[in-house]
Amino acid sequence: KNQVEQSPQSLIILEGKNCTLQCNYTVSPFSNLRWYKQDTGRGPVSLTIMTFSENTKSNGRYTATLDADTKQSSLHITASQLSDSASYICVVSVASDYKLSFGAGTTVTVRA
Amino acid sequence: DVKVTQSSRYLVKRTGEKVFLECVQDMDHENMFWYRQDPGLGLRLIYFSYDVKMKEKGDIPEGYSVSREKKERFSLILESASTNQTSMYLCASSSGGWQPQHFGDGTRLSIL
């Protein structure tokens, strides 16, 4: 069964600090991996999308990495801001299939 | 920007009622999706539509049906609402392939 596991479940960081979120998956055959940000009460918004040939992709202060061999991805948030408080969801898609496999998300709380 | 609009942010219904959730997208996307999101679980696909009048079951279709009479509109129907259908419902659309899914802000449905 295709699975996506994220860790930690939640974390609290001080404004200005960095943090890294983890995503492990067993989806096969792999097509691409996406990170979404979901603010409270809003729908998820795409941050990055990576194919198996891409190791790193950035979107402002967000940097995603992918190791397709170990089936691991991470999302690094640099110099966190209060607006980074949200749930971050790792999503993996299967080749030749419209279906996506969603992680349960990591809830990030940034405190002043 | 792509806009996916869900008709209601909050909805309260009674057990046994027939419930309609509406979703409209403004980017002429072929694909539309309905998910439910529950705490501690990843998004789970209820139904998917890849064209007008076309639909496919997702992972948890039981108790739900869908309608897509026009390309921009995708409706989710709870035939006879039950308390275990209390959840956040998210609609999404995409142009397919590598393109990310764009989500609405969700409908928080409570069945009493």
Side-chain angles (χ1 to χ4, degrees):
Chain A
K1 180 180 178 180
N2 291 327
Q3 287 190 319
V4 179
E5 294 189 357
Q6 293 186 241
S7 62
Q9 186 175 5
S10 63
L11 65 92
I12 300 172
I13 58 174
L14 292 177
E15 189 177 14
K17 299 296 185 182
N18 304 333
C19 69
T20 301
L21 317 179
Q22 300 292 341
C23 173
N24 296 336
Y25 61 93
T26 60
V27 173
S28 182
F30 173 83
S31 175
N32 60 72
L33 184 146
R34 313 163 196 221
W35 284 93
Y36 280 82
K37 178 187 179 188
Q38 185 175 21
D39 293 317
T40 301
R42 306 298 299 273
V45 175
S46 180
L47 290 175
T48 63
I49 179 169
M50 291 184 292
T51 66
F52 68 92
S53 61
E54 296 176 291
N55 300 120
T56 303
K57 183 161 281 189
S58 292
N59 179 354
R61 294 178 297 99
Y62 301 101
T63 299
T65 66
L66 174 65
D67 185 333
D69 292 331
T70 61
K71 298 189 176 182
Q72 296 179 325
S73 177
S74 65
L75 181 70
H76 187 76
I77 304 175
T78 302
S80 61
Q81 300 177 357
L82 297 178
S83 59
D84 293 329
S85 294
S87 178
Y88 293 84
I89 303 172
C90 176
V91 185
V92 184
S93 65
V94 178
S96 302
D97 193 343
Y98 62 86
K99 287 187 178 180
L100 303 178
S101 294
F102 291 81
T106 294
T107 300
V108 174
T109 302
V110 181
R111 290 188 174 164
Chain B
D1 274 355
V2 175
K3 189 162 182 63
V4 178
T5 303
Q6 296 185 228
S7 55
S8 304
R9 292 298 302 275
Y10 301 94
L11 207 53
V12 180
K13 296 292 183 180
R14 295 203 175 276
T15 304
E17 281 193 69
K18 190 169 186 176
V19 181
F20 293 85
L21 303 183
E22 306 287 344
C23 175
V24 176
Q25 51 96 1
D26 66 358
M27 282 302 292
D28 201 36
H29 283 168
E30 303 293 334
N31 302 329
M32 295 189 75
F33 308 81
W34 274 107
Y35 295 92
R36 65 178 282 175
Q37 184 176 32
D38 298 292
L41 302 177
L43 273 71
R44 293 180 291 169
L45 180 65
I46 304 172
Y47 266 98
F48 159 64
S49 170
Y50 53 91
D51 201 351
V52 175
K53 297 190 185 295
M54 306 303 290
K55 62 183 179 183
E56 284 196 23
K57 292 180 180 179
D59 298 319
I60 51 166
E62 297 78 19
Y64 303 95
S65 63
V66 290
S67 172
R68 194 163 180 203
E69 297 296 319
K70 293 184 178 181
K71 192 174 186 180
E72 68 271 17
R73 187 180 297 272
F74 192 33
S75 302
L76 179 70
I77 304 154
L78 284 66
E79 298 291 343
S80 177
S82 63
T83 55
N84 62 12
Q85 292 179 309
T86 291
S87 186
M88 169 71 88
Y89 290 87
L90 289 163
C91 174
S93 73
S94 80
S95 55
W98 298 110
Q99 301 306 311
Q101 293 185 13
H102 298 268
F103 288 85
D105 282 336
T107 296
R108 188 166 292 281
L109 175 65
S110 296
I111 307 297
L112 305 179

